[in-house]
């Protein structure tokens, strides 16, 4: 489903270039749940950003279902830019450690935000799907609550609902339990497992938590820019 081939990514560090990812390759089959572990600064977020087409590698290529993926809008034609935007909005869902929920909106409004970019279904269908996701996450009663009134665990569930609203085939999660206590982290870990098995969503998750990584089918450790079987 996804294939990274010989990916290298460098960042400027003063007068030298710091290699974050070094000739890294990764294959992900449809329906897999993969955890990427590693120390802070190992490059986990950079790897997810490349998978999400938010960052371009300096070397290598990224294929989705066998087709080469344009990595950023920079330097691409209008058609390629449009295809990239559609790919991000329809195929890829993102869950961030800091949630990135908009405080002025309710739970329901935050979840529906990604649907504004592509009107492929009616508002009624989108509203129904949002409710289904809220029920799946066990927070249907909070649909009209301001997100500022939610606990950290509840905000994480809302962020997952928002990531799933456009029915993406791929879910990328960057330290989704990084700000949660152990009990809430365990609950979220089980919810990710249910998203994978019941909704058949391919998940790639970066985490520093060994407990969180246990729910994945495969675990890799990012060390010195390379992925090692954990």
């Amino acid at each position: 489903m996804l294939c990274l081939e010989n990916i290298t990514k460098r960042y400027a560090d003063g007068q030298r270039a710091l290699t974050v990812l070094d000739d890294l390759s990764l294959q992900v089959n449809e329906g897999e749940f993969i955890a990427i572990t590693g120390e802070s600064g190992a490059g986990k977020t950079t790897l997810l950003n490349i998978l999400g087409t938010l960052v371009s590698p300096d070397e290598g290529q990224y294929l989705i279902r066998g087709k080469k993926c344009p990595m950023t809008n920079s330097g691409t034609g209008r058609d390629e830019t449009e295809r990239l935007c559609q790919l991000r909005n329809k195929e890829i869902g993102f869950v961030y450690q800091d949630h990135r929920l908009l405080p002025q909106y309710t739970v329901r409004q935050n979840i529906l935000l990604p649907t504004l970019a592509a009107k492929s279904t009616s508002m009624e269908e989108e509203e129904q799907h949002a409710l289904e996701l809220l029920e799946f996450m066990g927070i249907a009663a909070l649909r009209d609550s301001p997100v500022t009134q939610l606990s950290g665990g509840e905000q994480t569930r809302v962020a997952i609902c928002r990531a799933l609203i456009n029915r993406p085939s791929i879910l990328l999660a960057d330290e989704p339990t990084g700000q949660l206590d152990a009990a809430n982290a365990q609950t979220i870990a089980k919810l990710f497992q249910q998203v994978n098995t019941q909704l058949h969503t391919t998940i790639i998750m970066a985490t520093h938590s060994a407990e969180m990584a246990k729910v994945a089918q495969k675990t890799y450790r990012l060390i010195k820019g390379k992925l090692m079987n954990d």
Side-chain angles (χ1 to χ4, degrees):
M1 184 179 188
L2 305 179
C3 183
L4 293 178
E5 297 181 346
N6 309 112
I7 295 293
T8 295
K9 181 63 182 177
R10 306 179 186 91
Y11 290 107
D13 182 21
Q15 295 184 346
R16 66 188 182 97
L18 176 66
T19 300
V20 179
L21 304 178
D22 184 14
D23 197 32
L24 179 150
S25 295
L26 173 67
Q27 291 189 0
V28 181
N29 296 318
E30 192 157 3
E32 283 190 319
F33 186 172
I34 290 176
I36 309 291
T37 67
E39 297 180 358
S40 296
K44 301 187 298 295
T45 296
T46 297
L47 177 56
L48 284 192
N49 285 340
I50 289 175
L51 286 165
T53 73
L54 299 173
V55 170
S56 295
D58 296 309
E59 299 171 20
Q61 64 177 356
Y62 179 24
L63 295 95
I64 298 181
R65 297 190 178 92
K67 294 183 179 180
K68 188 174 180 180
C69 181
M71 297 308 297
T72 68
N73 296 331
S74 177
T76 60
R78 182 175 177 180
D79 290 345
E80 286 293 292
T81 298
E82 225 172 272
R83 185 168 77 87
L84 182 57
C85 291
Q86 289 177 354
L87 175 70
R88 287 176 185 154
N89 199 55
K90 291 191 172 184
E91 292 287 341
I92 304 173
F94 296 87
V95 179
Y96 302 96
Q97 180 178 354
D98 59 1
H99 306 127
R100 302 190 185 180
L101 302 175
L102 297 186
Q104 67 269 37
Y105 292 142
T106 65
V107 166
R108 180 184 59 82
Q109 290 169 330
N110 266 279
I111 292 171
L112 289 169
L113 278 173
T115 68
L116 301 177
K119 284 298 184 182
S120 57
T121 56
S122 70
M123 181 56 72
E124 185 177 346
E125 290 173 308
E126 292 163 349
E127 291 269 6
Q128 179 59 35
H129 185 44
L131 182 57
E132 291 168 356
L133 289 172
L134 284 165
E135 290 174 346
F136 184 84
M137 289 289 156
I139 53 172
L142 300 176
R143 60 177 297 180
D144 294 316
S145 300
V147 291
T148 53
Q149 295 180 4
L150 306 185
S151 67
E154 290 168 342
Q155 288 186 3
T156 302
R157 296 187 195 206
V158 174
I160 298 171
C161 289
R162 183 185 58 188
L164 295 171
I165 189 64
N166 283 335
R167 297 177 173 86
S169 55
I170 306 157
L171 183 64
L172 303 176
D174 190 5
E175 299 284 6
T177 61
Q179 298 182 4
L180 303 180
D181 59 34
N184 270 308
Q186 190 173 45
T187 298
I188 296 300
K190 290 178 180 177
L191 286 171
F192 270 100
Q193 198 169 40
Q194 291 171 9
V195 168
N196 174 244
T197 58
Q198 296 180 33
L199 303 184
H200 311 293
T201 306
T202 302
I203 300 177
I204 306 170
M205 173 183 64
T207 181
H208 66 273
S209 168
E211 290 300 314
M212 189 71 178
K214 285 180 181 178
V215 301
Q217 298 162 355
K218 293 182 181 178
T219 304
Y220 297 95
R221 181 170 290 274
L222 192 54
I223 302 174
K224 295 182 178 179
K226 296 184 182 292
L227 283 176
M228 310 292 182
N229 288 320
D230 205 356

